[in-house]
Amino acid sequence: MVEGTTRLETFSDGVFAIAATLLVLEFSVHEVSGPRLAHELLHLWPSYLAYATSFLTIGIIWINHHYCVATFARADRVLMFLNLILLLIVGFLPFPTKLVAQYLQKPGEQDAVLAYCATFVVMSIVYNAWWRYASYDRRLIRDDVPDSTVLAISRAFNPGVPMYAVVFLIAFASPLASVILTFAIAAFYLPSAALFTER
Amino acid sequence: MVEGTTRLETFSDGVFAIAATLLVLEFSVHEVSGPRLAHELLHLWPSYLAYATSFLTIGIIWINHHYCVATFARADRVLMFLNLILLLIVGFLPFPTKLVAQYLQKPGEQDAVLAYCATFVVMSIVYNAWWRYASYDRRLIRDDVPDSTVLAISRAFNPGVPMYAVVFLIAFASPLASVILTFAIAAFYLPSAALFTER
Amino acid sequence: MVEGTTRLETFSDGVFAIAATLLVLEFSVHEVSGPRLAHELLHLWPSYLAYATSFLTIGIIWINHHYCVATFARADRVLMFLNLILLLIVGFLPFPTKLVAQYLQKPGEQDAVLAYCATFVVMSIVYNAWWRYASYDRRLIRDDVPDSTVLAISRAFNPGVPMYAVVFLIAFASPLASVILTFAIAAFYLPSAALFTER
Amino acid sequence: MVEGTTRLETFSDGVFAIAATLLVLEFSVHEVSGPRLAHELLHLWPSYLAYATSFLTIGIIWINHHYCVATFARADRVLMFLNLILLLIVGFLPFPTKLVAQYLQKPGEQDAVLAYCATFVVMSIVYNAWWRYASYDRRLIRDDVPDSTVLAISRAFNPGVPMYAVVFLIAFASPLASVILTFAIAAFYLPSAALFTER
């Protein structure tokens, strides 16, 4: 029999890697831009920002996901389904990323960024639910994993939802600030807080 | 020598994960929709429905596929070929999914949904044939797998073809109802009936 | 140290699975075809034929590739490079497949099919070189693999290049016949001749 | 617990394979080109050159990456983050590759090639930093890896940045020469110098 958590990880690994790499398809320049190509490439900065933000976030969720799964003794049907919902949202991320790349600093940017940030809010809610379900009362946790490790992971998950909720609200005032904050979370907060808290 | 079922699974895992993640490419908004972006994003609901339906179905087929393969002692050439046909259909799914996303609630929706549902019918026929071939007379089943497990999996496969056939027929009356039913099968029926019936 | 042939297989598996699944992106219908959608979907048959042909071929090359690699004791730098060239061509296949889908039965079909068949010719030459290099004088073959197995694989490789060369030439007379023959090779010849010849 | 370097490799393998295979999406011909298809296919040579260059480079970075990771005893958070940055750039490569395919030998070619070469410069800087961080004072190197192996890998990394920097500068004089040199590095230099220097 295939062991439960391996089954969980293979498909997740695939979706994480593919969703991150598909992000590059958002980039495009107009066919006619030949002589002004340098100029247009510089003006694509919202695309670069959106690409880096989404790529780093997926990458860190992926590393984090592995770390969590490594504490599981087994996977049950609820966890498998929550995991599938999480992947469904990660797999969806290239679309709002493309919206930000297309609309930031243009008419419609607020709607685009709200859709982007809402995706992050939902993603962090589902990711939290996924971990809470597995760790509640050590439901799926291996016996040899100390309580302190479980607690450290839970503490690292805590700020996720409120943080992305605040970033969502900020988009009503400044869409650009919201995207930059989402990038900052991926580049500075997540690596230090969520990634290696077990030590 | 590479063991037969590992050989079977690696390529399958890849195709399942990639087909699911490519589904996101169906989403698109018109370049000119800037000021009315929120409105257009809300009107994309057929895309969201089609995306969630296809993603969940692929995800559950994938989990189920692993569970079946785990009961196999080996793979023979017929099984490999049936598996390749199954993957060919799963890999095709993003196209009818895109048709539903583009045409639902618009002229042509019935043709689009019939193509979508027909893909599910063919997929469930091939998937059934794949399992029937492997399990008939325990042809490829490991000795240490109890008959009750084989029987439970077979029972879980039974309703697949008739269920998708009915959903196909319903599309003649109401395309939207067909898509919602396909979603409901993926969200409610498959996880409970097919996924963990061995217990 | 990572063992040489594992290193060889992971990247190959990825490219095979992704190239096969990307084939679905060739399908498209015109935005305006709503009311005549069923009609247009039926007239996409060159796309279905091209999709099935390329998908099956990649799938069988993949299975075959695993079977060959399982006879290798190690991989050296020449083999790694030949393997990379093989993957470069497999990764390219979605483009000529798209050409056939777009142009079959339309002006330009001969050029499209010649490009398609030429890709298969080059692919079979490189694949042959890959196996010949590894098997010549049992250069990279494991000691416990009997000569009869090596010989059986070599015999299965023999008809590849001439067969695809003939199919290429037939495209000058009938492009459609060439594509159908390429499909027939993938559906009937390859599974029986190349796949399990060791028995 | 999942072992650190396995965690590092799975996601990297995925991104390398997907980025290489997505390169094929750069190819396109105009819908109206039917009767002149052969002519247009020949004039796509910048696309073929750009495709082969990027595919080979990613393939060799991937092989090289595995070889380096095989010398690691573990991965720490800094390495994980540097690795994510490296993947972010590899995942980005299909975009400048597409620029070269679209603009080489047309107005805007210098900007396109500068963007392409700049990506290679940044990629080689990050890749160097990744290895220097891991190997400095044998920080993450396994005890059983001899100094001579570490030194050989470091020597192979040395010419990367200056070489791509020179190719970048050459693009100001001749964009085409720059692309050909980038191809030559991937086809001739990298396999011989970087790949198997440990022997």
Side-chain angles (χ1 to χ4, degrees), chain B residues 13 20 30 35 46 88 94 105 110-111 120 138 142 150 177:
Chain B
D13 284 354
H30 297 97
L88 185 144
Q105 303 292 78
Q110 193 170 73
D111 297 344
F120 280 90
R138 298 183 61 97
R142 295 154 60 110
V150 178

Side-chain angles (χ1 to χ4, degrees), chain D residues 15-106:
Chain D
V15 172
F16 285 131
I18 301 156
T21 319
L22 284 184
L23 293 168
V24 74
L25 300 182
E26 64 156 278
F27 291 102
S28 65
V29 291
H30 297 98
E31 288 277 327
V32 293
S33 63
R36 300 177 64 248
L37 187 57
H39 182 257
E40 188 166 339
L41 289 179
L42 292 176
H43 276 66
L44 277 183
W45 65 264
S47 293
Y48 306 131
L49 178 61
Y51 172 80
T53 302
S54 295
F55 196 103
L56 288 179
T57 305
I58 293 177
I60 287 161
I61 287 179
W62 177 83
I63 297 172
N64 210 2
H65 187 268
H66 263 280
Y67 183 71
C68 293
V69 171
T71 68
F72 295 172
R74 58 191 182 84
D76 68 7
R77 85 162 85 177
V78 176
L79 187 84
M80 295 295 265
F81 201 68
L82 287 172
N83 197 67
L84 205 51
I85 304 295
L86 177 65
L87 295 177
L88 184 146
I89 298 161
V90 170
F92 177 70
L93 195 56
F95 176 56
T97 303
K98 188 181 182 171
L99 291 178
V100 170
Q102 280 183 340
Y103 290 102
L104 197 62
Q105 303 292 77
K106 290 189 194 143

Side-chain angles (χ1 to χ4, degrees), chain B residues 125-141:
Chain B
I125 290 172
V126 174
Y127 201 14
N128 259 276
W130 177 87
W131 170 252
R132 302 300 169 196
Y133 176 79
S135 65
Y136 180 77
D137 208 17
R138 298 183 61 97
R139 194 191 323 247
L140 305 173
I141 306 292

Side-chain angles (χ1 to χ4, degrees), chain D:
Chain D
M1 293 285 152
V2 169
E3 188 246 322
T5 62
T6 303
R7 200 160 63 181
L8 187 75
E9 293 215 82
T10 324
F11 191 64
S12 307
D13 283 356
V15 172
F16 285 131
I18 301 156
T21 319
L22 284 184
L23 293 168
V24 74
L25 300 182
E26 64 156 278
F27 291 102
S28 65
V29 291
H30 297 98
E31 288 277 327
V32 293
S33 63
R36 300 177 64 248
L37 187 57
H39 182 257
E40 188 166 339
L41 289 179
L42 292 176
H43 276 66
L44 277 183
W45 65 264
S47 293
Y48 306 131
L49 178 61
Y51 172 80
T53 302
S54 295
F55 196 103
L56 288 179
T57 305
I58 293 177
I60 287 161
I61 287 179
W62 177 83
I63 297 172
N64 210 2
H65 187 268
H66 263 280
Y67 183 71
C68 293
V69 171
T71 68
F72 295 172
R74 58 191 182 84
D76 68 7
R77 85 162 85 177
V78 176
L79 187 84
M80 295 295 265
F81 201 68
L82 287 172
N83 197 67
L84 205 51
I85 304 295
L86 177 65
L87 295 177
L88 184 146
I89 298 161
V90 170
F92 177 70
L93 195 56
F95 176 56
T97 303
K98 188 181 182 171
L99 291 178
V100 170
Q102 280 183 340
Y103 290 102
L104 197 62
Q105 303 292 77
K106 290 189 194 143
E109 68 166 346
Q110 194 170 71
D111 297 343
V113 174
L114 285 173
Y116 189 61
C117 293
T119 306
F120 280 90
V121 171
V122 174
M123 192 157 71
S124 59
I125 289 173
V126 174
Y127 201 13
N128 258 276
W130 177 87
W131 169 251
R132 300 303 167 194
Y133 176 79
S135 65
Y136 180 76
D137 208 17
R138 299 184 60 101
R139 192 187 328 244
L140 305 173
I141 305 293
R142 295 155 60 112
D143 289 340
D144 61 345
V145 173
D147 278 343
S148 61
T149 300
V150 178
L151 215 71
I153 298 177
S154 293
R155 259 199 311 266
F157 266 102
N158 279 336
V161 178
M163 216 159 50
Y164 283 117
V166 167
V167 170
F168 175 82
L169 293 175
I170 289 170
F172 286 100
S174 166
L176 179 56
S178 273
V179 179
I180 290 173
L181 280 171
T182 309
F183 172 78
I185 292 172
F188 304 109
Y189 174 77
L190 288 184
S192 63
L195 212 48
F196 300 91
T197 40
E198 80 279 16
R199 286 185 292 168

Side-chain angles (χ1 to χ4, degrees), chain A residues 110-150:
Chain A
Q110 194 170 72
D111 296 344
V113 173
L114 285 174
Y116 189 61
C117 293
T119 306
F120 280 90
V121 172
V122 175
M123 192 159 70
S124 58
I125 289 172
V126 174
Y127 202 13
N128 259 275
W130 178 87
W131 170 251
R132 300 303 169 196
Y133 176 79
S135 64
Y136 180 77
D137 209 17
R138 299 184 61 100
R139 192 187 329 244
L140 305 173
I141 305 293
R142 296 154 59 111
D143 289 340
D144 60 345
V145 173
D147 278 342
S148 61
T149 300
V150 178

